[in-house]
Amino acid sequence: MHRHRVMISAAVVAAAIGFVPTAAQAADQPAERKGSVSAQVESAKAAAAKSAVFHSPAERTVRTTGKAAAAPQAAGAAGAAGANAGLAVDLRATATTARGISLASQVTTGAGTPVRVDIDWGDGKTDTEHVTSTKLLTSKHTFAEVGKHKVTVTLTDQNNNVTATNSVEVQSLGSKFTPHAPTRLLDTRSGIGGTDRPVTPYGVARVKVGGNSGIPADATAVALNLTVVSPRSGGHITAYPSGEEQPTTSNVNFVAGQTVPNMTIVPVGEDGYVELLNRSYGDVDLLADVTGYFSPSATAGGYTSLNPFRIADSRTGQGTWGQVAGQSTFGLQVAGNGAVPASGVTAVALNVTVTAPRGAGHLTVFPSGQSAPGTSNVNFKAGQTIANSVIVPVGSDGRINIRNGAWDPADVIVDVVGYYSPGSKASYIPTPPTRLHDSREWEFPVEGQDFRWLPLSDGDPTVTAFVLNTTVTDTQGSGHLTVSPDPYTWAQRESGAPKPTPPNSSNLNWTRGETVPNLVQASTGTTGVIDFWNRGWDRTHLIVDMFGFYEKD
């Protein structure tokens, strides 16, 4: 079997819904831009679907000729003479969806007699076809689970009492999630990860993922919280799989002297590494904390995307009362809360926001029943409002803990956007990092209390969520971004459908003049259209990069 794999290498938190103007935004959004977004998504999905090809040539066909045959023989071998010596099959399989493949079977009948073709998919399912001459057969199959499967094709020439068999091992595109206790894989300040020196301007830090800290060698992507510490100039970090071309997208944006984190989901290179490119003119220290990984293991968890909902807001007493004291921890019940099931949940996807902290510090989110790890999820300075996406394992009691590592109190807000469980059907497929939207290119910022809608899956029911990095820049005032599914289809939105009501949640926060990114695992809802709401009163530019999607097929 030959396998060719191409790794795919994109300050005020409102307590209530604000006033939303009544004018529909659809008429103001250029049609060519909306169409190009859909085309970019489809192109990236097509590239992902062709990222794995598995081949077993006809020469590997094993023939058995009658009961008197001493042993099976490979097609074309010196002793393969006899009845229908040319009977053989070439197999080429291509992964097409999360659990689906397309199999091309080039059948050579040799003697030109009728031949039965039996396809054993390796999961208890079989298909049978009949041919009377050399022919290319194309078959499609969807496995019950992600992972590796052995597909066997057997040709039977009953007239000449000959069978010929060839097999190919395939691996589906989809990967499932295994939570990992928060663990630091890289810290350029202390030497964790192999280096104790800052990353030089336009230099690269390599992070070993596969085979490190209990992560299997076949991990396809990793959930990392990346933190930039004390950069000497402004810039951004780009994360990508080792061995692949450096993309033009960004993951963490920063200014000189800033300490800022951002959650990433990064494909893992063939050698088990991911690379972090420092796109700035100064040295920068980097931290990388793992909270989970994706792999083709059928026993891992799929993803269920949810409409964002709030489970904690210390300002209102939801989840915890009053500001969280410095050096203290509070717990949250996740399992059974809102749309999260009461059992079976292994990890939860959150957006965690700090607001009105009285001093500098960081938050650490970790599963209940464990001690707080030496990692961080949200870093902040006094008076700052900042959010970060978090994927955290859930304790055996269905709870998580949040620790305020600062010496001073701070308000904490937690929104749930999805969860992982063995019963969840959607698996993850990385795509080439793709910039879907940059309002700077066509001087079309998102106005205050307005929204930008992007048709990402055009109503495809198999795609349940997209992994995006959203960035606001050239902000004209303070505000926050809310990302949510649109109840209207692309066609309805183009026809002037009314504005929906955004949920009471936030994905990233900013003040005037800031550039702020955050990972968003955005639900597609029922229409495949996703809304990006500027909940501030002043305009801002918006950038949206795509890194992958969740699909159930």
Side-chain angles (χ1 to χ4, degrees):
M1 178 196 75
H2 172 68
R3 175 179 161 216
H4 174 62
R5 179 186 180 194
V6 181
M7 284 304 302
I8 312 296
S9 62
V12 175
V13 179
I17 302 300
F19 171 76
V20 177
T22 57
Q25 182 237 12
D28 299 326
Q29 189 162 319
E32 68 275 11
R33 290 294 175 176
K34 291 176 290 189
S36 68
V37 168
S38 182
Q40 286 172 310
V41 172
E42 290 307 310
S43 176
K45 288 170 61 178
K50 295 178 181 177
S51 67
V53 176
F54 311 89
H55 183 215
S56 185
E59 289 75 15
R60 295 183 181 177
T61 304
V62 175
R63 299 177 61 257
T64 301
T65 56
K67 295 181 180 179
Q73 298 176 338
N84 200 352
L87 189 65
V89 59
D90 179 284
L91 303 178
R92 187 177 297 272
T94 303
T96 55
T97 62
R99 295 179 289 114
I101 68 165
S102 176
L103 176 67
S105 304
Q106 180 62 58
V107 179
T108 302
T109 57
T113 56
V115 171
R116 189 181 74 223
V117 182
D118 294 305
I119 304 173
D120 182 347
W121 296 104
D123 61 354
K125 303 292 180 63
T126 60
D127 287 329
T128 299
E129 297 197 43
H130 297 270
V131 300
T132 57
S133 60
T134 295
K135 187 176 182 180
L136 176 65
L137 298 177
T138 301
S139 311
K140 297 183 182 298
H141 185 70
T142 299
F143 297 104
E145 274 296 350
V146 301
K148 296 180 180 179
H149 306 272
K150 184 178 181 180
V151 180
T152 301
V153 176
T154 301
L155 311 180
T156 303
D157 177 357
Q158 294 179 327
N159 290 352
N160 290 290
N161 198 19
V162 178
T163 61
T165 302
N166 197 0
S167 298
V168 60
E169 291 187 355
V170 303
Q171 181 173 308
S172 56
L173 276 178
S175 296
K176 290 194 171 182
F177 184 76
T178 299
H180 191 287
T183 305
R184 185 147 291 171
L185 301 184
L186 176 73
D187 187 340
T188 59
R189 303 169 304 177
S190 65
I192 295 175
T195 178
D196 59 358
R197 296 182 178 180
V199 185
T200 57
Y202 287 86
V204 171
R206 286 170 52 80
V207 182
K208 182 172 177 56
V209 175
N212 187 13
S213 190
I215 303 171
D218 64 350
T220 58
V222 63
L224 291 176
N225 195 65
L226 302 179
T227 305
V228 172
V229 180
S230 301
R232 294 189 178 181
S233 71
H236 63 270
I237 301 297
T238 296
Y240 59 98
S242 173
E244 297 300 314
E245 183 178 351
Q246 295 174 347
T248 58
T249 50
S250 63
N251 296 90
V252 189
N253 298 73
F254 51 87
V255 297
Q258 184 182 28
T259 295
V260 58
N262 198 27
M263 188 70 190
T264 62
I265 295 178
V266 192
V268 179
E270 289 280 11
D271 60 0
Y273 283 79
V274 300
E275 298 190 347
L276 309 176
L277 171 63
N278 172 20
R279 282 196 166 116
S280 77
Y281 291 109
D283 292 350
V284 61
D285 277 308
L286 289 178
L287 316 179
D289 301 326
V290 61
T291 60
Y293 59 87
F294 296 85
S295 73
S297 171
T299 61
Y303 183 66
T304 297
S305 180
L306 301 174
N307 288 343
F309 68 96
R310 186 153 290 174
I311 62 171
D313 188 339
S314 63
R315 302 169 304 174
T316 63
Q318 181 183 6
T320 185
W321 286 98
Q323 285 199 311
V324 181
Q327 301 294 307
S328 72
T329 299
F330 72 96
L332 285 174
Q333 183 68 34
V334 174
N337 195 336
V340 181
S343 62
V345 177
T346 58
V348 63
L350 309 170
N351 203 72
V352 179
T353 304
V354 173
T355 189
R358 298 186 187 179
H362 65 273
L363 294 184
T364 297
V365 186
F366 58 102
S368 66
Q370 300 180 15
S371 299
T375 58
S376 62
N377 295 95
V378 186
N379 298 72
F380 51 86
K381 58 187 178 181
Q384 185 181 24
T385 296
I386 186 170
N388 196 19
S389 181
V390 175
I391 299 175
V392 61
V394 175
S396 59
D397 58 358
R399 296 174 66 84
I400 62 172
N401 291 329
I402 301 178
R403 181 177 186 273
N404 178 9
W407 294 103
D408 301 288
D411 279 308
V412 178
I413 301 144
V414 181
D415 298 319
V416 176
V417 299
Y419 64 87
Y420 298 89
S421 72
S424 298
K425 300 301 183 182
S427 52
Y428 182 63
I429 300 176
T431 64
T434 304
R435 181 144 293 176
L436 300 180
H437 180 82
D438 188 343
S439 62
R440 300 171 302 179
E441 291 185 355
W442 29 300
E443 298 181 358
F444 187 47
V446 185
E447 298 293 335
Q449 298 297 324
D450 206 348
F451 76 121
R452 187 67 35 87
W453 58 272
L454 300 181
L456 297 194
S457 66
D458 199 17
D460 182 354
T462 67
V463 177
T464 63
F466 283 86
V467 174
L468 309 170
N469 201 70
T470 56
T471 304
V472 294
T473 190
D474 192 24
T475 54
Q476 301 300 301
S478 298
H480 69 276
L481 188 77
T482 296
V483 182
S484 60
D486 195 304
Y488 297 100
T489 65
W490 182 1
Q492 290 171 325
R493 182 57 60 204
E494 284 190 308
S495 299
K499 283 188 175 182
T501 300
N504 183 31
S505 60
S506 64
N507 293 92
L508 62 87
N509 304 72
W510 67 84
T511 57
R512 178 181 173 87
E514 285 190 315
T515 296
V516 182
N518 199 9
L519 179 81
V520 177
Q521 302 211 76
S523 171
T524 57
T526 59
T527 66
V529 177
I530 298 176
D531 296 335
F532 301 79
W533 289 87
N534 173 7
R535 306 304 304 282
W537 293 101
D538 302 284
R539 64 176 54 179
T540 181
H541 277 296
L542 172 70
I543 303 164
V544 181
D545 296 328
M546 177 178 67
F547 294 90
F549 61 95
Y550 292 94
E551 181 182 72
K552 59 179 182 180
D553 56 1

